[in-house]
């Protein structure tokens, strides 16, 4: 996250006691939106500087010392989510041009831009690897028809998936049996979807009309 003029990374070895860290590569202001523990190291993604936004990806082997791995120029997109399968890393973020931001890497140093099968200028907010069905699942903003959902078996080919309502989706995870995505308040409750295969998504009722992140 971000606190004042300092990047905000906090670490814990037990989940109870947390230590704030500020020792990044330089003194610029960073904001972090997504983190993942990969076979290489910890990966944190976000933005740096004041608007216009600039992409950043940091890496750490111990969650204490962080090194910059990718830094975008002016008006580069904010990155919001990270996931991996074996040595394949995937990060996603805001739209740039006619597509959402999707980058992949097999070494955390060299990153390749990927695009969905059908171009759409809609941002992605989160990504996860669904082990049982062997798919990356990414979710994002409302696209005018529904919440933006993409799936990919390899991080390269991304296919859009339909769902019930035109509301933002902010997070996604794999439970071991099904994918669960959650997002904006839809006027009745939070927009929550589940899917056993990443393709067919079912809306689920919940208690309050409040957004889930």
């Amino acid at each position: 996250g971000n606190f004042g003029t300092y990047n905000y990374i906090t670490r814990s070895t037990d989940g109870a006691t947390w230590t704030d860290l500020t020792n990044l590569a330089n003194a610029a202001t960073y904001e972090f939106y997504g983190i993942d523990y990969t076979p290489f190291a910890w990966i944190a993604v976000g933005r740096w500087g004041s608007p216009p936004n600039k992409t950043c990806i940091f890496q750490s082997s111990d969650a204490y010392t962080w090194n910059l791995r990718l830094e975008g120029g002016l008006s580069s997109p904010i990155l919001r989510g990270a996931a991996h399968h074996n040595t394949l890393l995937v990060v996603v973020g805001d739209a740039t041009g006619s597509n959402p931001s999707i980058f992949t890497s097999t070494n955390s140093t060299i990153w390749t831009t990927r695009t969905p099968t059908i171009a759409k200028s809609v941002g992605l907010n989160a990504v996860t690897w669904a082990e049982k069905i062997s798919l990356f699942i990414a979710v994002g903003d409302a696209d005018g028809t529904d919440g933006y959902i993409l799936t990919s078996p390899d991080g390269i080919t991304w296919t859009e998936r339909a769902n019930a309502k035109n509301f933002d989706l902010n997070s996604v995870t794999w439970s071991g049996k099904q994918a669960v995505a959650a997002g904006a308040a839809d006027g009745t409750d939070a927009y929550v979807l589940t899917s056993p295969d990443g393709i067919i998504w079912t809306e689920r009722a919940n208690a309050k009309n409040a957004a889930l992140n």
Side-chain angles (χ1 to χ4, degrees), residues 25 30 40-44 55-61 65-72 89 105 107-111:
Y30 293 91
F40 305 105
W42 289 95
I43 299 292
T55 296
C56 69
I57 299 175
F58 274 81
Q59 175 181 305
S60 175
S61 60
T65 301
W66 292 83
N67 297 302
L68 187 63
R69 286 290 176 257
L70 177 69
E71 186 173 74
L89 314 180
S105 177
N107 59 16
S108 79
T109 301
I110 299 172
W111 294 86

Side-chain angles (χ1 to χ4, degrees), residues 37-52:
Y37 184 62
T38 76
F40 305 105
W42 289 95
I43 299 292
V45 301
R47 65 174 284 273
W48 69 275
S50 300

Side-chain angles (χ1 to χ4, degrees), residues 147-202:
Y148 196 31
I149 299 177
L150 297 174
T151 64
S152 174
D154 56 10
I156 300 171
T157 302
W158 292 86
T159 303
E160 187 174 356
R161 304 301 181 182
N163 53 94
K165 292 178 178 177
N166 185 42
F167 289 95
D168 294 349
L169 292 167
N170 300 323
S171 59
V172 63
T173 192
W174 177 253
S175 73
K177 295 182 179 180
Q178 63 182 350
V180 181
D186 65 11
T188 301
D189 51 17
Y191 191 35
V192 176
L193 301 171
T194 64
S195 175
D197 59 8
I199 300 171
I200 305 300
W201 292 84
T202 302

Side-chain angles (χ1 to χ4, degrees), residues 7-28:
N7 52 76
Y8 186 54
I9 297 177
T10 184
R11 184 181 76 159
S12 175
T13 58
D14 59 9
T17 302
W18 292 83
T19 301
D20 296 347
L21 309 174
T22 57
N23 54 334
L24 295 186
N26 59 53

Side-chain angles (χ1 to χ4, degrees), residues 32-139:
F32 297 103
Y33 298 95
I35 192 167
D36 187 40
Y37 184 62
T38 76
F40 305 105
W42 289 95
I43 299 292
V45 301
R47 65 174 284 273
W48 69 275
S50 300
N53 302 308
K54 309 166 191 74
T55 296
C56 69
I57 299 175
F58 274 81
Q59 175 181 305
S60 175
S61 60
D62 58 6
Y64 182 79
T65 301
W66 292 83
N67 297 302
L68 187 63
R69 286 290 176 257
L70 177 69
E71 186 173 74
L74 291 176
S75 299
S76 56
I78 298 174
L79 298 177
R80 298 187 180 275
H84 77 280
H85 172 54
N86 295 328
T87 59
L88 176 62
L89 314 180
V90 175
V91 300
V92 301
D94 290 358
T96 176
S98 59
N99 286 296
S101 298
I102 305 173
F103 300 107
T104 64
S105 177
T106 56
N107 59 16
S108 79
T109 301
I110 299 172
W111 294 86
T112 302
T113 300
R114 307 297 183 182
T115 56
T117 303
I118 299 174
K120 187 170 286 188
S121 185
V122 179
L124 294 169
N125 298 320
V127 62
T128 193
W129 171 253
E131 184 68 34
K132 184 178 179 180
I133 57 177
S134 298
L135 283 177
F136 285 102
I137 302 172
V139 302

